[in-house]
Tab-separated table of all heavy atoms in Angstrom:
chain	number	residue	atom	x	y	z
A	17	GLU	N	87.732	122.373	97.061
A	17	GLU	CA	88.898	123.116	96.572
A	17	GLU	C	88.588	124.593	96.278
A	17	GLU	O	89.499	125.408	96.111
A	17	GLU	CB	89.502	122.440	95.334
A	17	GLU	CG	88.586	122.384	94.128
A	17	GLU	CD	87.720	121.125	94.043
A	17	GLU	OE1	87.428	120.509	95.091
A	17	GLU	OE2	87.323	120.782	92.911
A	18	PHE	N	87.301	124.944	96.230
A	18	PHE	CA	86.907	126.328	95.946
A	18	PHE	C	86.302	127.027	97.161
A	18	PHE	O	85.797	128.140	97.049
A	18	PHE	CB	85.899	126.359	94.785
A	18	PHE	CG	86.437	125.802	93.506
A	18	PHE	CD1	85.930	124.623	92.988
A	18	PHE	CD2	87.458	126.444	92.823
A	18	PHE	CE1	86.417	124.102	91.797
A	18	PHE	CE2	87.962	125.927	91.644
A	18	PHE	CZ	87.443	124.757	91.129
A	19	ARG	N	86.342	126.378	98.331
A	19	ARG	CA	85.660	126.897	99.519
A	19	ARG	C	86.044	128.345	99.848
A	19	ARG	O	85.180	129.199	100.010
A	19	ARG	CB	85.927	126.006	100.725
A	19	ARG	CG	85.263	126.554	101.986
A	19	ARG	CD	85.436	125.670	103.202
A	19	ARG	NE	86.822	125.393	103.473
A	19	ARG	CZ	87.303	124.174	103.723
A	19	ARG	NH1	86.504	123.127	103.728
A	19	ARG	NH2	88.575	123.998	103.965
A	20	GLU	N	87.319	128.631	99.963
A	20	GLU	CA	87.734	129.977	100.365
A	20	GLU	C	87.411	131.015	99.286
A	20	GLU	O	87.021	132.143	99.604
A	20	GLU	CB	89.209	130.002	100.751
A	20	GLU	CG	89.512	129.208	102.012
A	20	GLU	CD	88.655	129.622	103.218
A	20	GLU	OE1	88.497	130.839	103.469
A	20	GLU	OE2	88.144	128.716	103.914
A	21	GLU	N	87.570	130.631	98.046
A	21	GLU	CA	87.249	131.541	96.935
A	21	GLU	C	85.765	131.888	96.936
A	21	GLU	O	85.382	133.057	96.821
A	21	GLU	CB	87.641	130.883	95.609
A	21	GLU	CG	87.305	131.709	94.394
A	21	GLU	CD	87.624	130.991	93.095
A	21	GLU	OE1	88.339	129.962	93.102
A	21	GLU	OE2	87.148	131.475	92.059
A	22	ILE	N	84.916	130.879	97.072
A	22	ILE	CA	83.470	131.118	97.050
A	22	ILE	C	83.029	131.837	98.325
A	22	ILE	O	82.148	132.708	98.280
A	22	ILE	CB	82.697	129.806	96.834
A	22	ILE	CG1	83.015	129.225	95.455
A	22	ILE	CG2	81.191	130.023	96.997
A	22	ILE	CD1	82.694	130.151	94.283
A	23	LYS	N	83.629	131.514	99.447
A	23	LYS	CA	83.308	132.222	100.686
A	23	LYS	C	83.539	133.723	100.500
A	23	LYS	O	82.699	134.548	100.890
A	23	LYS	CB	84.156	131.681	101.830
A	23	LYS	CG	83.889	132.344	103.160
A	23	LYS	CD	84.756	131.703	104.238
A	23	LYS	CE	84.549	132.323	105.591
A	23	LYS	NZ	85.372	131.658	106.625
A	24	ALA	N	84.650	134.077	99.896
A	24	ALA	CA	84.945	135.492	99.637
A	24	ALA	C	83.905	136.110	98.713
A	24	ALA	O	83.477	137.258	98.915
A	24	ALA	CB	86.349	135.634	99.042
A	25	GLU	N	83.483	135.356	97.706
A	25	GLU	CA	82.451	135.851	96.778
A	25	GLU	C	81.108	136.029	97.484
A	25	GLU	O	80.395	137.002	97.238
A	25	GLU	CB	82.294	134.904	95.580
A	25	GLU	CG	83.493	134.855	94.659
A	25	GLU	CD	83.765	136.168	93.946
A	25	GLU	OE1	82.809	136.935	93.671
A	25	GLU	OE2	84.947	136.438	93.663
A	26	LEU	N	80.768	135.108	98.362
A	26	LEU	CA	79.510	135.207	99.111
A	26	LEU	C	79.534	136.419	100.046
A	26	LEU	O	78.539	137.146	100.157
A	26	LEU	CB	79.262	133.920	99.909
A	26	LEU	CG	78.981	132.667	99.088
A	26	LEU	CD1	78.996	131.433	99.976
A	26	LEU	CD2	77.660	132.783	98.342
A	27	LEU	N	80.659	136.637	100.692
A	27	LEU	CA	80.777	137.787	101.583
A	27	LEU	C	80.613	139.106	100.832
A	27	LEU	O	80.077	140.073	101.383
A	27	LEU	CB	82.117	137.741	102.321
A	27	LEU	CG	82.223	136.672	103.405
A	27	LEU	CD1	83.678	136.485	103.833
A	27	LEU	CD2	81.336	137.011	104.599
A	28	LYS	N	81.049	139.144	99.583
A	28	LYS	CA	80.904	140.356	98.757
A	28	LYS	C	79.439	140.714	98.503
A	28	LYS	O	79.132	141.862	98.190
A	28	LYS	CB	81.578	140.164	97.390
A	28	LYS	CG	83.064	140.190	97.391
A	28	LYS	CD	83.540	140.045	95.951
A	28	LYS	CE	84.972	139.673	95.823
A	28	LYS	NZ	85.362	139.482	94.406
A	29	LEU	N	78.544	139.739	98.605
A	29	LEU	CA	77.130	139.971	98.311
A	29	LEU	C	76.406	140.699	99.442
A	29	LEU	O	75.365	141.329	99.211
A	29	LEU	CB	76.416	138.639	98.058
A	29	LEU	CG	76.870	137.834	96.855
A	29	LEU	CD1	76.166	136.482	96.829
A	29	LEU	CD2	76.608	138.605	95.570
A	30	ILE	N	76.927	140.610	100.653
A	30	ILE	CA	76.175	141.073	101.817
A	30	ILE	C	75.893	142.578	101.777
A	30	ILE	O	74.738	143.000	101.874
A	30	ILE	CB	76.889	140.666	103.114
A	30	ILE	CG1	76.910	139.137	103.223
A	30	ILE	CG2	76.204	141.289	104.328
A	30	ILE	CD1	77.760	138.600	104.352
A	31	SER	N	76.904	143.384	101.657
A	31	SER	CA	76.713	144.833	101.726
A	31	SER	C	75.787	145.372	100.630
A	31	SER	O	74.833	146.096	100.937
A	31	SER	CB	78.057	145.545	101.700
A	31	SER	OG	77.873	146.930	101.821
A	32	PRO	N	76.035	145.043	99.351
A	32	PRO	CA	75.136	145.600	98.336
A	32	PRO	C	73.700	145.083	98.472
A	32	PRO	O	72.740	145.816	98.208
A	32	PRO	CB	75.756	145.191	97.000
A	32	PRO	CG	76.721	144.109	97.303
A	32	PRO	CD	77.136	144.289	98.734
A	33	THR	N	73.548	143.845	98.908
A	33	THR	CA	72.196	143.300	99.040
A	33	THR	C	71.458	143.959	100.193
A	33	THR	O	70.285	144.318	100.064
A	33	THR	CB	72.237	141.774	99.226
A	33	THR	OG1	72.852	141.192	98.069
A	33	THR	CG2	70.840	141.208	99.392
A	34	ARG	N	72.131	144.140	101.310
A	34	ARG	CA	71.481	144.797	102.449
A	34	ARG	C	71.062	146.224	102.116
A	34	ARG	O	70.153	146.762	102.735
A	34	ARG	CB	72.401	144.784	103.663
A	34	ARG	CG	72.505	143.421	104.304
A	34	ARG	CD	73.387	143.449	105.526
A	34	ARG	NE	73.437	142.143	106.176
A	34	ARG	CZ	74.314	141.818	107.099
A	34	ARG	NH1	75.228	142.693	107.495
A	34	ARG	NH2	74.287	140.621	107.639
A	35	GLY	N	71.721	146.818	101.133
A	35	GLY	CA	71.362	148.167	100.702
A	35	GLY	C	70.230	148.217	99.694
A	35	GLY	O	69.764	149.309	99.347
Side-chain angles (χ1 to χ4, degrees):
E17 63 269 26
F18 299 112
R19 178 177 55 228
E20 293 306 315
E21 178 184 346
I22 296 302
K23 180 178 180 178
E25 293 295 330
L26 293 170
L27 288 166
K28 286 182 196 177
L29 296 174
I30 296 171
S31 182
T33 299
R34 286 182 177 167

